[in-house]
Amino acid sequence: MQRTPPAEYRHVYEFYIRFGDIDSQGHVNNVKFLGYLEDARLEMFHGDPVRKGEQPVRGMVISRHEIDYRLPLMPTVYPIRVETWVTEARAASVKLAYEVRDDENVYAEATSTLVAFDVESNRLRRWTPEEREFIGRYVVPRA
């Protein structure tokens, strides 16, 4: 589905699988993967910037998700990662790519399209220059 970019363009979010993530078949339920992607996005656009003393990116909505499950994700005692990067940045939208993985395996690959949104006016908007600069940190240059 996608080519993993160099480390400097990836945001890395680590997490541990919770007991409640496991379904009756003994592996992580497919719907939980969307929660992992959400947690990674929140850290990328909100948590990490706030911890660094920067303004978080606010006011965006998901317009599309696509996910390909590669391997069953079984309960583990070591962390799993969501690695995220930007594959396309436009004036009012951005496309993210993700890998849910550990050091050996990719369990799922996904993409999301996010659009800039003005919550007060309930309308789409364009990214601010500051938001474009932040998003640009994760844009993989075209080869």
Side-chain angles (χ1 to χ4, degrees):
M1 177 188 235
Q2 59 210 12
R3 178 186 63 80
T4 305
E8 64 264 25
Y9 299 105
R10 287 180 274 156
H11 177 269
V12 177
Y13 168 71
E14 285 192 343
F15 67 95
Y16 290 90
I17 296 171
R18 298 176 298 260
F19 178 77
D21 296 349
I22 307 304
D23 64 16
S24 62
Q25 297 177 25
H27 57 69
V28 173
N29 186 279
N30 67 322
V31 75
K32 293 296 183 176
F33 281 81
L34 290 173
Y36 299 156
L37 303 182
E38 178 184 35
D39 291 345
R41 275 192 318 278
L42 284 171
E43 283 299 303
M44 180 177 182
F45 289 107
H46 186 79
D48 286 354
V50 167
R51 281 190 288 280
K52 294 176 183 174
E54 299 174 341
Q55 284 295 318
V57 179
R58 297 179 190 240
M60 65 181 98
V61 294
I62 301 289
S63 65
R64 180 176 176 81
H65 281 306
E66 190 173 327
I67 188 165
D68 291 313
Y69 300 97
R70 301 294 181 206
L71 292 170
L73 181 52
M74 308 304 279
T76 67
V77 295
Y78 55 88
I80 301 297
R81 299 188 304 274
V82 177
E83 297 186 7
T84 309
W85 60 94
V86 175
T87 60
E88 184 179 312
R90 295 178 174 251
S93 67
V94 65
K95 189 170 186 178
L96 300 180
Y98 315 82
E99 287 182 347
V100 179
R101 62 173 306 125
D102 58 23
D103 290 340
E104 304 296 321
N105 299 295
V106 174
Y107 299 99
E109 296 175 306
T111 60
S112 297
T113 302
L114 289 73
V115 294
F117 192 77
D118 184 325
V119 177
E120 290 181 15
S121 67
N122 200 33
R123 297 177 56 157
L124 298 179
R125 65 178 179 86
R126 293 184 178 272
W127 301 114
T128 66
E130 295 80 15
E131 290 168 332
R132 282 195 304 272
E133 185 276 324
F134 179 86
I135 290 166
R137 297 175 191 176
Y138 299 101
V139 175
V140 179
R142 296 195 187 269

